[in-house]
mmCIF file of all heavy atoms in Angstrom:
data_model
loop_
_atom_site.group_PDB
_atom_site.id
_atom_site.type_symbol
_atom_site.label_atom_id
_atom_site.label_comp_id
_atom_site.label_asym_id
_atom_site.label_seq_id
_atom_site.Cartn_x
_atom_site.Cartn_y
_atom_site.Cartn_z
ATOM 1 N N PHE B 567 -35.880 39.627 5.690
ATOM 2 C CA PHE B 567 -35.632 38.682 4.613
ATOM 3 C C PHE B 567 -34.326 37.929 4.796
ATOM 4 O O PHE B 567 -34.223 36.752 4.483
ATOM 5 C CB PHE B 567 -35.584 39.419 3.281
ATOM 6 C CG PHE B 567 -36.874 40.101 2.953
ATOM 7 C CD1 PHE B 567 -36.951 41.479 2.887
ATOM 8 C CD2 PHE B 567 -38.015 39.342 2.722
ATOM 9 C CE1 PHE B 567 -38.149 42.096 2.554
ATOM 10 C CE2 PHE B 567 -39.209 39.960 2.399
ATOM 11 C CZ PHE B 567 -39.278 41.340 2.324
ATOM 12 N N LEU B 568 -33.334 38.644 5.302
ATOM 13 C CA LEU B 568 -31.994 38.071 5.360
ATOM 14 C C LEU B 568 -31.709 37.567 6.758
ATOM 15 O O LEU B 568 -31.771 38.297 7.714
ATOM 16 C CB LEU B 568 -30.966 39.126 4.955
ATOM 17 C CG LEU B 568 -31.214 39.675 3.545
ATOM 18 C CD1 LEU B 568 -30.346 40.890 3.299
ATOM 19 C CD2 LEU B 568 -30.958 38.593 2.526
ATOM 20 N N SER B 569 -31.357 36.328 6.833
ATOM 21 C CA SER B 569 -31.237 35.723 8.144
ATOM 22 C C SER B 569 -29.793 35.411 8.506
ATOM 23 O O SER B 569 -28.869 36.009 7.993
ATOM 24 C CB SER B 569 -32.065 34.465 8.156
ATOM 25 O OG SER B 569 -31.760 33.719 6.996
ATOM 26 N N GLU B 570 -29.661 34.490 9.343
ATOM 27 C CA GLU B 570 -28.375 34.204 9.941
ATOM 28 C C GLU B 570 -27.515 33.222 9.145
ATOM 29 O O GLU B 570 -26.789 32.435 9.698
ATOM 30 C CB GLU B 570 -28.609 33.688 11.353
ATOM 31 C CG GLU B 570 -29.057 32.276 11.506
ATOM 32 C CD GLU B 570 -30.126 31.785 10.550
ATOM 33 O OE1 GLU B 570 -30.683 32.552 9.741
ATOM 34 O OE2 GLU B 570 -30.391 30.588 10.582
ATOM 35 N N VAL B 571 -27.601 33.321 7.850
ATOM 36 C CA VAL B 571 -26.837 32.423 7.006
ATOM 37 C C VAL B 571 -25.344 32.516 7.282
ATOM 38 O O VAL B 571 -24.647 31.507 7.446
ATOM 39 C CB VAL B 571 -27.117 32.703 5.501
ATOM 40 C CG1 VAL B 571 -26.179 31.883 4.638
ATOM 41 C CG2 VAL B 571 -28.546 32.366 5.166
ATOM 42 N N THR B 572 -24.866 33.737 7.342
ATOM 43 C CA THR B 572 -23.421 33.978 7.495
ATOM 44 C C THR B 572 -22.843 33.193 8.664
ATOM 45 O O THR B 572 -21.789 32.567 8.545
ATOM 46 C CB THR B 572 -23.144 35.475 7.732
ATOM 47 O OG1 THR B 572 -23.861 36.228 6.763
ATOM 48 C CG2 THR B 572 -21.673 35.763 7.651
ATOM 49 N N GLY B 573 -23.553 33.228 9.775
ATOM 50 C CA GLY B 573 -23.006 32.599 10.968
ATOM 51 C C GLY B 573 -23.110 31.096 10.973
ATOM 52 O O GLY B 573 -22.236 30.412 11.455
ATOM 53 N N ARG B 574 -24.184 30.562 10.385
ATOM 54 C CA ARG B 574 -24.409 29.120 10.510
ATOM 55 C C ARG B 574 -23.857 28.307 9.374
ATOM 56 O O ARG B 574 -23.449 27.162 9.562
ATOM 57 C CB ARG B 574 -25.916 28.854 10.605
ATOM 58 C CG ARG B 574 -26.471 28.907 12.019
ATOM 59 C CD ARG B 574 -27.968 28.626 12.007
ATOM 60 N NE ARG B 574 -28.311 27.281 11.586
ATOM 61 C CZ ARG B 574 -29.479 26.909 11.070
ATOM 62 N NH1 ARG B 574 -30.414 27.813 10.876
ATOM 63 N NH2 ARG B 574 -29.716 25.673 10.723
ATOM 64 N N CYS B 575 -23.903 28.862 8.166
ATOM 65 C CA CYS B 575 -23.583 28.071 6.976
ATOM 66 C C CYS B 575 -22.205 27.418 7.048
ATOM 67 O O CYS B 575 -21.173 28.111 7.129
ATOM 68 C CB CYS B 575 -23.656 28.954 5.734
ATOM 69 S SG CYS B 575 -23.378 28.047 4.191
ATOM 70 N N VAL B 576 -22.210 26.113 7.052
ATOM 71 C CA VAL B 576 -20.958 25.362 7.164
ATOM 72 C C VAL B 576 -20.077 25.591 5.942
ATOM 73 O O VAL B 576 -18.867 25.728 6.049
ATOM 74 C CB VAL B 576 -21.244 23.868 7.342
ATOM 75 C CG1 VAL B 576 -19.949 23.063 7.306
ATOM 76 C CG2 VAL B 576 -21.966 23.624 8.656
ATOM 77 N N ALA B 577 -20.735 25.685 4.775
ATOM 78 C CA ALA B 577 -19.963 25.923 3.546
ATOM 79 C C ALA B 577 -19.259 27.266 3.615
ATOM 80 O O ALA B 577 -18.083 27.379 3.255
ATOM 81 C CB ALA B 577 -20.882 25.873 2.337
ATOM 82 N N GLY B 578 -19.957 28.282 4.094
ATOM 83 C CA GLY B 578 -19.372 29.590 4.202
ATOM 84 C C GLY B 578 -18.154 29.597 5.105
ATOM 85 O O GLY B 578 -17.079 30.066 4.749
ATOM 86 N N ARG B 579 -18.336 29.030 6.296
ATOM 87 C CA ARG B 579 -17.211 28.952 7.241
ATOM 88 C C ARG B 579 -16.051 28.183 6.642
ATOM 89 O O ARG B 579 -14.895 28.570 6.746
ATOM 90 C CB ARG B 579 -17.646 28.240 8.516
ATOM 91 C CG ARG B 579 -18.517 29.069 9.426
ATOM 92 C CD ARG B 579 -18.478 28.541 10.866
ATOM 93 N NE ARG B 579 -19.274 29.375 11.739
ATOM 94 C CZ ARG B 579 -18.867 30.554 12.209
ATOM 95 N NH1 ARG B 579 -17.658 31.011 11.887
ATOM 96 N NH2 ARG B 579 -19.658 31.270 12.977
ATOM 97 N N MET B 580 -16.374 27.082 6.026
ATOM 98 C CA MET B 580 -15.338 26.231 5.459
ATOM 99 C C MET B 580 -14.566 26.954 4.371
ATOM 100 O O MET B 580 -13.331 26.901 4.328
ATOM 101 C CB MET B 580 -16.032 24.996 4.870
ATOM 102 C CG MET B 580 -15.096 23.888 4.577
ATOM 103 S SD MET B 580 -14.724 22.966 6.075
ATOM 104 C CE MET B 580 -15.760 21.557 5.811
ATOM 105 N N LEU B 581 -15.295 27.611 3.495
ATOM 106 C CA LEU B 581 -14.647 28.316 2.380
ATOM 107 C C LEU B 581 -13.757 29.450 2.899
ATOM 108 O O LEU B 581 -12.622 29.615 2.434
ATOM 109 C CB LEU B 581 -15.691 28.852 1.411
ATOM 110 C CG LEU B 581 -16.357 27.788 0.534
ATOM 111 C CD1 LEU B 581 -17.492 28.376 -0.281
ATOM 112 C CD2 LEU B 581 -15.313 27.169 -0.395
ATOM 113 N N ARG B 582 -14.302 30.204 3.843
ATOM 114 C CA ARG B 582 -13.496 31.311 4.366
ATOM 115 C C ARG B 582 -12.208 30.788 5.018
ATOM 116 O O ARG B 582 -11.134 31.358 4.804
ATOM 117 C CB ARG B 582 -14.318 32.126 5.388
ATOM 118 C CG ARG B 582 -15.464 32.903 4.764
ATOM 119 C CD ARG B 582 -15.979 34.018 5.677
ATOM 120 N NE ARG B 582 -16.567 33.531 6.922
ATOM 121 C CZ ARG B 582 -17.807 33.085 7.044
ATOM 122 N NH1 ARG B 582 -18.605 33.035 5.996
ATOM 123 N NH2 ARG B 582 -18.255 32.666 8.214
ATOM 124 N N ALA B 583 -12.321 29.734 5.776
ATOM 125 C CA ALA B 583 -11.147 29.171 6.422
ATOM 126 C C ALA B 583 -10.196 28.582 5.379
ATOM 127 O O ALA B 583 -8.975 28.775 5.452
ATOM 128 C CB ALA B 583 -11.537 28.083 7.421
ATOM 129 N N SER B 584 -10.745 27.926 4.383
ATOM 130 C CA SER B 584 -9.904 27.305 3.349
ATOM 131 C C SER B 584 -9.076 28.339 2.601
ATOM 132 O O SER B 584 -7.915 28.101 2.283
ATOM 133 C CB SER B 584 -10.776 26.545 2.329
ATOM 134 O OG SER B 584 -11.259 25.356 2.904
ATOM 135 N N ARG B 585 -9.688 29.474 2.342
ATOM 136 C CA ARG B 585 -8.953 30.510 1.622
ATOM 137 C C ARG B 585 -7.732 30.941 2.418
ATOM 138 O O ARG B 585 -6.632 31.079 1.870
ATOM 139 C CB ARG B 585 -9.859 31.706 1.342
ATOM 140 C CG ARG B 585 -10.956 31.406 0.352
ATOM 141 C CD ARG B 585 -11.792 32.624 0.001
ATOM 142 N NE ARG B 585 -13.046 32.230 -0.652
ATOM 143 C CZ ARG B 585 -14.260 32.405 -0.143
ATOM 144 N NH1 ARG B 585 -14.396 32.994 1.027
ATOM 145 N NH2 ARG B 585 -15.329 31.992 -0.793
ATOM 146 N N LEU B 586 -7.905 31.144 3.704
ATOM 147 C CA LEU B 586 -6.776 31.569 4.530
ATOM 148 C C LEU B 586 -5.725 30.467 4.605
ATOM 149 O O LEU B 586 -4.528 30.722 4.487
ATOM 150 C CB LEU B 586 -7.262 31.911 5.949
ATOM 151 C CG LEU B 586 -8.091 33.197 6.095
ATOM 152 C CD1 LEU B 586 -8.442 33.398 7.556
ATOM 153 C CD2 LEU B 586 -7.319 34.376 5.548
ATOM 154 N N ILE B 587 -6.177 29.243 4.843
ATOM 155 C CA ILE B 587 -5.261 28.134 5.007
ATOM 156 C C ILE B 587 -4.462 27.883 3.717
ATOM 157 O O ILE B 587 -3.223 27.763 3.763
ATOM 158 C CB ILE B 587 -6.014 26.856 5.401
ATOM 159 C CG1 ILE B 587 -6.578 27.001 6.837
ATOM 160 C CG2 ILE B 587 -5.126 25.630 5.303
ATOM 161 C CD1 ILE B 587 -5.549 26.910 7.918
ATOM 162 N N THR B 588 -5.135 27.811 2.608
ATOM 163 C CA THR B 588 -4.395 27.551 1.371
ATOM 164 C C THR B 588 -3.427 28.684 1.065
ATOM 165 O O THR B 588 -2.307 28.449 0.615
ATOM 166 C CB THR B 588 -5.344 27.365 0.167
ATOM 167 O OG1 THR B 588 -6.184 28.518 0.049
ATOM 168 C CG2 THR B 588 -6.204 26.135 0.343
ATOM 169 N N ARG B 589 -3.842 29.923 1.338
ATOM 170 C CA ARG B 589 -2.944 31.042 1.094
ATOM 171 C C ARG B 589 -1.693 30.915 1.975
ATOM 172 O O ARG B 589 -0.588 31.188 1.542
ATOM 173 C CB ARG B 589 -3.645 32.376 1.347
ATOM 174 C CG ARG B 589 -3.586 33.301 0.156
ATOM 175 C CD ARG B 589 -4.425 34.536 0.360
ATOM 176 N NE ARG B 589 -5.835 34.224 0.588
ATOM 177 C CZ ARG B 589 -6.739 35.142 0.944
ATOM 178 N NH1 ARG B 589 -6.370 36.378 1.133
ATOM 179 N NH2 ARG B 589 -8.003 34.801 1.090
ATOM 180 N N HIS B 590 -1.934 30.495 3.223
ATOM 181 C CA HIS B 590 -0.822 30.336 4.146
ATOM 182 C C HIS B 590 0.192 29.310 3.630
ATOM 183 O O HIS B 590 1.392 29.570 3.577
ATOM 184 C CB HIS B 590 -1.348 29.914 5.515
ATOM 185 C CG HIS B 590 -0.291 29.679 6.537
ATOM 186 N ND1 HIS B 590 0.428 30.691 7.131
ATOM 187 C CD2 HIS B 590 0.210 28.531 7.048
ATOM 188 C CE1 HIS B 590 1.288 30.177 7.977
ATOM 189 N NE2 HIS B 590 1.172 28.866 7.953
ATOM 190 N N TYR B 591 -0.306 28.144 3.237
ATOM 191 C CA TYR B 591 0.601 27.107 2.720
ATOM 192 C C TYR B 591 1.208 27.506 1.386
ATOM 193 O O TYR B 591 2.384 27.276 1.123
ATOM 194 C CB TYR B 591 -0.135 25.785 2.586
ATOM 195 C CG TYR B 591 -0.359 25.025 3.878
ATOM 196 C CD1 TYR B 591 -1.420 25.321 4.717
ATOM 197 C CD2 TYR B 591 0.489 24.000 4.271
ATOM 198 C CE1 TYR B 591 -1.656 24.632 5.906
ATOM 199 C CE2 TYR B 591 0.280 23.291 5.433
ATOM 200 C CZ TYR B 591 -0.785 23.611 6.257
ATOM 201 O OH TYR B 591 -0.998 22.915 7.417
ATOM 202 N N ASP B 592 0.407 28.123 0.530
ATOM 203 C CA ASP B 592 0.922 28.549 -0.765
ATOM 204 C C ASP B 592 2.047 29.552 -0.597
ATOM 205 O O ASP B 592 3.056 29.512 -1.306
ATOM 206 C CB ASP B 592 -0.195 29.163 -1.606
ATOM 207 C CG ASP B 592 -1.088 28.111 -2.250
ATOM 208 O OD1 ASP B 592 -0.733 26.910 -2.194
ATOM 209 O OD2 ASP B 592 -2.141 28.456 -2.802
ATOM 210 N N ASP B 593 1.877 30.479 0.336
ATOM 211 C CA ASP B 593 2.927 31.443 0.623
ATOM 212 C C ASP B 593 4.211 30.740 1.006
ATOM 213 O O ASP B 593 5.276 31.057 0.528
ATOM 214 C CB ASP B 593 2.509 32.385 1.761
ATOM 215 C CG ASP B 593 1.554 33.460 1.321
ATOM 216 O OD1 ASP B 593 1.356 33.602 0.094
ATOM 217 O OD2 ASP B 593 1.006 34.177 2.171
ATOM 218 N N ALA B 594 4.060 29.789 1.936
ATOM 219 C CA ALA B 594 5.240 29.089 2.445
ATOM 220 C C ALA B 594 5.923 28.293 1.344
ATOM 221 O O ALA B 594 7.156 28.203 1.294
ATOM 222 C CB ALA B 594 4.844 28.168 3.599
ATOM 223 N N LEU B 595 5.147 27.745 0.449
ATOM 224 C CA LEU B 595 5.701 26.883 -0.610
ATOM 225 C C LEU B 595 6.197 27.679 -1.809
ATOM 226 O O LEU B 595 6.808 27.104 -2.713
ATOM 227 C CB LEU B 595 4.636 25.872 -1.067
ATOM 228 C CG LEU B 595 4.343 24.723 -0.115
ATOM 229 C CD1 LEU B 595 3.147 23.912 -0.608
ATOM 230 C CD2 LEU B 595 5.557 23.805 0.024
ATOM 231 N N ARG B 596 5.928 28.975 -1.835
ATOM 232 C CA ARG B 596 6.240 29.782 -3.033
ATOM 233 C C ARG B 596 7.677 29.607 -3.530
ATOM 234 O O ARG B 596 7.872 29.504 -4.749
ATOM 235 C CB ARG B 596 5.900 31.246 -2.781
ATOM 236 C CG ARG B 596 6.029 32.102 -4.048
ATOM 237 C CD ARG B 596 4.968 33.172 -4.121
ATOM 238 N NE ARG B 596 3.630 32.639 -3.973
ATOM 239 C CZ ARG B 596 2.714 33.123 -3.160
ATOM 240 N NH1 ARG B 596 3.000 34.156 -2.395
ATOM 241 N NH2 ARG B 596 1.501 32.587 -3.108
#
Side-chain angles (χ1 to χ4, degrees):
Chain B
F567 298 115
L568 301 169
S569 48
E570 77 316 355
V571 172
T572 312
R574 272 181 66 203
C575 183
V576 174
R579 285 202 178 282
M580 195 80 103
L581 286 173
R582 291 198 297 278
S584 286
R585 292 184 196 115
L586 290 182
I587 291 287
T588 56
R589 235 174 300 172
H590 178 74
Y591 283 83
D592 282 349
D593 281 351
L595 287 172
R596 187 143 307 131

